Amino acid sequence: MTMPALSAPKTERVYELRSYESPTEQYHVNKVQMFNDGDEIGIFRQLGFNAVFYGAVLSGSRMPNLMYMTTFNNKADRDAHWKSFSADPAWKKLQAMPGYAHNVSKSEITFLRPTDYSDI
């Protein structure tokens, strides 16, 4: 665990919860490999995405599913991070690899705010 490098007051911060559903278990394993072996997590780390967690959904109707959460100073900071991610050469190379094609059938983004008692 690493504390996020955030400078904004908690009232301005934003959490971003992302869900990546895959059409089959095999595609889900492929997406997880993209995060780990393909080093998508490394790209997030290099660009300062302040990861809260990365994980696989273990039960429920929306499986197989990779979920992760990042946090940012504010919405503008979040937008700037995603812009830099989209333009990152390592991401462009990873995204273009045929072996990682079609591994997400549905994605969903949920924005959350910290509470008064949140640590980060």
Side-chain angles (χ1 to χ4, degrees), residues 45-102:
R45 190 177 301 119
Q46 176 188 343
L47 297 175
F49 265 68
N50 297 304
V52 176
F53 73 85
Y54 299 97
V57 173
L58 299 177
S59 66
S61 61
R62 298 181 58 195
M63 293 178 53
N65 189 340
L66 168 70
M67 292 189 97
Y68 66 95
M69 181 182 283
T70 53
T71 185
F72 306 95
N73 281 311
N74 51 47
K75 185 74 166 51
D77 183 42
R78 177 259 181 207
D79 293 346
H81 275 82
W82 279 108
K83 185 176 181 179
S84 65
F85 180 84
S86 296
D88 187 83
W91 167 245
K92 287 182 179 254
K93 181 179 176 184
L94 185 63
Q95 180 185 22
M97 296 175 123
Y100 292 131
H102 312 295

Side-chain angles (χ1 to χ4, degrees), residues 14 20-21 26 28 44 64 67 69 76-77 80 85 87 90 102 109:
V14 62
Y20 293 152
E21 293 180 51
Q26 183 177 356
H28 169 72
F44 287 139
M67 292 189 97
M69 181 182 283
D77 183 42
F85 180 84
H102 312 295
I109 299 170

Side-chain angles (χ1 to χ4, degrees), residues 2-18:
T2 305
M3 287 299 287
L6 299 173
S7 57
K10 284 184 189 178
T11 56
E12 295 178 24
R13 294 180 191 172
V14 62
Y15 292 101
E16 181 172 3
L17 178 66
R18 285 188 169 232

